[in-house]
Amino acid sequence: GESVGLHLPTLSVQEGDNSIINCAYSNSASDYFIWYKQESGKGPQFIIDIRSNMDKRQGQRVTVLLNKTVKHLSLQIAATQPGDSAVYFCAETEAGSYQLTFGKGTKLSVIP
Amino acid sequence: NAGVTQTPKFQVLKTGQSMTLQCAQDMNHEYMSWYRQDPGMGLRLIHYSVGAGITDQGEVPNGYNVSRSTTEDFPLRLLSAAPSQTSVYFCASSYSGSQGFRSYNEQFFGPGTRLTVL
């Protein structure tokens, strides 16, 4: 089946800088896109989601951008902090479906 | 609230043994699901349930059984463990579509069970 994937497996950023984590998807029927954060030894934690009829959504220090033309999703983290160090997963789901399809993850390391 | 709890945290099985991974939530969530996480593979959905008495298969259901007799509990049974089932297993819960529009996008995950099959 179609899958969600990531461009970069690892990302290192300086504390205070902005981080951008990218994700490519291939399922044109995807209706929602979701970002999860997973800290070492813990389960994933929901960050933010965006519906396919939107191109931008903002949360606390995070912004998700969606470009359906090129099937690309990104998560921007402003003023990255050491507590942001984790693996970030994008996921997608079709309209009316309960099933989330996860990408393989990007590891974000914040350099103090 | 304890959130989503899973037991055990670690388990080692021999090939052919059976066991049940326990999952419970105290948030009155209708939707519950089981994922497995393998290195470099992300999370893959095994089974899910949209309410007591209702279960369905996800992407990788073979070798696993589930049942949902109560809203709170959603155990995952390995019928005859195989080395390919060595993985970290996560249980998750969320409000279902009937409890809020698209609220199941925000799934709450348990701490995971690390299973090794020898």
Side-chain angles (χ1 to χ4, degrees):
Chain A
E2 294 179 291
S3 63
V4 179
L6 294 170
H7 293 306
L8 298 174
T10 60
L11 178 65
S12 294
V13 297
Q14 204 74 34
E15 180 179 357
D17 288 350
N18 296 336
S19 304
I20 300 176
I21 301 171
N22 296 303
C23 177
Y25 67 95
S26 57
N27 186 356
S28 56
S30 297
D31 187 42
Y32 270 90
F33 302 88
I34 309 109
W35 283 99
Y36 280 85
K37 171 187 180 183
Q38 185 176 27
E39 297 177 33
S40 181
K42 296 183 179 180
Q45 180 181 11
F46 173 89
I47 302 173
I48 191 169
D49 64 357
I50 187 168
R51 194 172 184 181
S52 59
N53 62 356
M54 302 171 66
D55 53 18
K56 179 179 181 180
R57 191 174 187 203
Q58 290 183 295
Q60 187 177 6
R61 278 200 310 117
V62 296
T63 300
V64 57
L65 299 178
L66 176 63
N67 185 332
K68 291 191 69 179
T69 302
V70 295
K71 295 193 176 82
H72 184 267
L73 182 71
S74 69
L75 178 71
Q76 300 179 359
I77 304 173
T80 311
Q81 302 169 0
D84 295 327
S85 294
V87 176
Y88 289 80
F89 293 94
C90 62
E92 56 89 17
T93 181
E94 295 183 18
S97 172
Y98 283 94
Q99 298 196 36
L100 293 182
T101 300
F102 282 82
K104 293 181 172 57
T106 292
K107 183 177 181 180
L108 174 65
S109 296
V110 181
I111 304 166
Chain B
N1 288 348
V4 179
T5 58
Q6 291 183 239
T7 56
K9 293 188 186 304
F10 302 94
Q11 182 71 50
V12 179
L13 293 177
K14 294 181 180 179
T15 296
Q17 288 185 316
S18 62
M19 79 160 294
T20 299
L21 306 184
Q22 300 292 342
C23 174
Q25 53 90 11
D26 61 359
M27 296 174 282
N28 197 34
H29 287 165
E30 288 189 352
Y31 180 80
M32 296 186 74
S33 56
W34 277 100
Y35 293 87
R36 60 177 289 173
Q37 184 175 34
D38 303 301
M41 295 291 292
L43 289 93
R44 292 182 291 171
L45 181 65
I46 304 172
H47 284 285
Y48 65 95
S49 168
V50 298
I54 306 169
T55 62
D56 207 344
Q57 296 181 349
E59 179 185 355
V60 288
N62 292 341
Y64 307 95
N65 271 359
V66 292
S67 60
R68 184 95 179 270
S69 57
T70 67
T71 299
E72 294 78 18
D73 300 296
F74 191 44
L76 178 72
R77 282 183 291 276
L78 278 71
L79 308 174
S80 178
S84 60
Q85 293 179 304
T86 293
S87 188
V88 180
Y89 290 84
F90 289 100
C91 178
S93 74
S94 69
Y95 292 109
S96 72
S98 65
Q99 293 176 302
F101 182 69
R102 296 303 303 195
S103 49
Y104 43 86
N105 284 350
E106 182 175 1
Q107 297 193 23
F108 294 81
F109 284 80
T113 294
R114 185 173 294 275
L115 175 68
T116 301
V117 183
L118 303 175

